[in-house]
Amino acid sequence: MKYLDEYRDPALAVKLLAELHATATRPWAVMEVCGGQTHTLVRQGIDELLPAGIRMIHGPGCPVCVTPLEVIDKALAIAARPEVIFTSYGDMLRVPGSAGDLLGVRARGGDVRVVYTPLDAVRIARQHPDREVVFFAVGFETTAPANAMAVRYAADAGIGNFSVLVSHVLVPPAITALLDAPDNQVQGFLAAGHVCAVMGWTEYEPIAARYRVPIVVTGFEPLDLLEGILMAVRQLEQGRSEVENQYARAVRRTGNTAAQEVVRRVFRVTERNWRGIGPIPTSGLALAAEFSAYDADTRFATTGVRTEENPDCIAGAILRGTKLPTDCAAYGTRCTPRTPLGAPMVSAEGTCAAFHNSGRRPAPSTVEEIG
């Protein structure tokens, strides 16, 4: 299969692993930012094949996981209103809020629908002029252009019964926040290739220079990740801290400038609260003043929503890369993909789901468990 098997060739994987073992002379900790990369690493067992001193830290790059609890609760409140058709990508429907999820709202009679693009939501609004149609606009820089286009399309077409509940987050400020944290352990990064396909990598250059960390723009296939790790380790061994591009088949330094322009037109940069991490300055997008009439948050006055995180969930530490899912007492028992306590066990890009679906289990801690 052209353009797929090429990036899963076992012989090339063995060659890259051998080169990595020959390159690494001391321990290094490298974070893959994207949850999609985490799933490939864990599913393929790549993290277990690396030289003993090379440790992969799983980052906060799952947009479903970092959508703050208060926004989930606002979504639940809006979706329960009788005049609302609430639309969302499917992976948001099972993310737990303080008291349930969107599937629960639908089971109780709420009109919650799965869409595949935000323009589907605009189309529903046009078909139902007597209803209010809300789209749950979450994600990183990758989904922001399509969501911005939906708002512009609705505005240009004069569709007044459409609005968006916005919870967009931006990667570079999150990397900076992780590096500023007192318990930071990350020495190099694999940047998410799809984010950089939109935004390029110019934003990463001052971060690499200021914190003296290598950042390698990396794809999502097994050979992409092995090569990206090798490039990061090679920089660490040589004392370099540059931005390099492993994902050259999809990413240019300046990214997709047309997509960036529509995002700048419709959104403005703002502080954003990350679930499990907390507020990060300039790490989010909100609607610009010109499009504020399409803001579901103000249209439905959701300011009184109360939030309460499950105290048994350690998703915050997992998203910061300071703990593994197998460190959680609830992992695999009270918290499973069918009964999730936190978003990382729900999302297709969540670290907890990646571990659980790959059969990772906590290390035995007692003689009886060891057998």
Side-chain angles (χ1 to χ4, degrees):
M1 185 180 295
K2 191 166 178 60
Y3 302 126
L4 186 57
D5 291 347
E6 293 89 337
Y7 305 106
R8 301 179 180 181
D9 186 327
L12 285 178
V14 170
K15 184 178 178 181
L16 285 170
L17 276 170
E19 191 170 350
L20 187 53
H21 278 264
T23 301
T25 64
R26 54 193 138 160
W28 299 110
V30 178
M31 171 178 279
E32 84 279 5
V33 174
C34 176
Q37 293 173 334
T38 300
H39 271 253
T40 299
L41 286 172
V42 174
R43 185 175 62 249
Q44 302 289 338
I46 292 172
D47 54 332
E48 297 178 324
L49 298 173
L50 301 176
I54 306 302
R55 181 163 61 97
M56 297 305 299
I57 298 177
H58 313 303
C62 165
V64 174
C65 303
V66 300
T67 299
L69 184 62
E70 60 267 26
V71 177
I72 301 293
D73 287 342
K74 287 178 180 180
L76 299 180
I78 294 171
R81 297 174 70 106
E83 75 273 27
V84 167
I85 299 174
F86 194 89
T87 62
S88 171
Y89 298 131
D91 52 2
M92 294 302 298
L93 266 59
R94 294 186 62 241
V95 178
S98 297
D101 55 30
L102 286 168
L103 278 180
V105 173
R106 186 161 72 179
R108 292 189 293 274
D111 195 344
V112 178
R113 304 185 188 184
V114 174
V115 294
Y116 295 98
T117 78
L119 286 176
D120 289 342
V122 178
R123 191 174 303 112
I124 293 171
R126 189 188 286 277
Q127 293 168 346
H128 299 275
D130 57 329
R131 305 282 301 279
E132 287 285 340
V133 177
V134 180
F135 177 69
F136 202 177
V138 304
F140 289 93
E141 292 92 332
T142 47
T143 55
N147 294 342
M149 283 300 299
V151 173
R152 279 198 61 180
Y153 180 81
D156 291 345
I159 300 173
N161 63 325
F162 172 76
S163 59
V164 288
L165 181 61
V166 180
S167 186
H168 277 298
V169 285
L170 304 173
V171 172
I175 289 179
T176 302
L178 290 170
L179 290 167
D180 283 333
D183 58 352
N184 171 58
Q185 303 170 25
V186 182
Q187 296 166 294
F189 287 92
L190 305 185
H194 52 4
V195 169
C196 295
V198 176
M199 300 304 296
W201 67 77
T202 56
E203 296 175 286
Y204 296 92
E205 291 171 335
I207 298 174
R210 176 185 173 187
Y211 292 93
R212 301 185 66 80
V213 293
I215 301 175
V216 180
V217 180
T218 310
F220 304 89
E221 294 296 330
L223 294 187
D224 289 330
L225 289 161
L226 281 170
E227 186 174 23
I229 296 166
L230 174 60
M231 293 167 71
V233 170
R234 188 180 289 143
Q235 283 202 49
L236 289 165
E237 290 282 342
Q238 296 172 354
R240 293 188 290 120
S241 49
E242 303 167 6
V243 181
E244 294 183 316
N245 183 22
Q246 182 278 332
Y247 205 32
R249 65 184 184 277
V251 176
R252 295 179 300 175
R253 181 173 181 271
T254 55
N256 183 331
T257 54
Q260 294 166 25
E261 177 56 31
V262 71
V263 171
R264 277 194 293 268
R265 170 81 189 281
V266 172
F267 293 117
R268 60 180 171 84
V269 174
T270 185
E271 179 177 284
R272 180 66 68 189
N273 188 31
W274 293 53
R275 189 172 189 174
I277 297 177
I280 302 177
T282 69
S283 71
L285 297 175
L287 285 169
E290 180 183 353
F291 298 96
S292 60
Y294 294 89
D295 187 349
D297 198 358
T298 55
R299 182 177 295 195
F300 297 98
T302 57
T303 52
V305 172
R306 290 187 174 183
T307 63
E308 184 177 358
E309 193 72 78
N310 190 313
D312 294 335
C313 182
I314 65 166
I318 293 169
L319 290 167
R320 292 193 303 274
T322 57
K323 288 186 179 298
L324 291 172
T326 46
D327 296 328
C328 178
Y331 171 80
T333 54
R334 287 175 291 128
C335 184
T336 70
R338 293 177 63 86
T339 58
L341 297 183
M345 187 59 93
V346 177
S347 169
E349 296 186 2
T351 302
C352 298
F355 271 58
H356 192 276
N357 294 338
S358 298
R360 301 284 176 94
R361 293 291 177 265
S365 57
T366 65
V367 173
E368 289 75 15
E369 287 177 322
I370 295 171

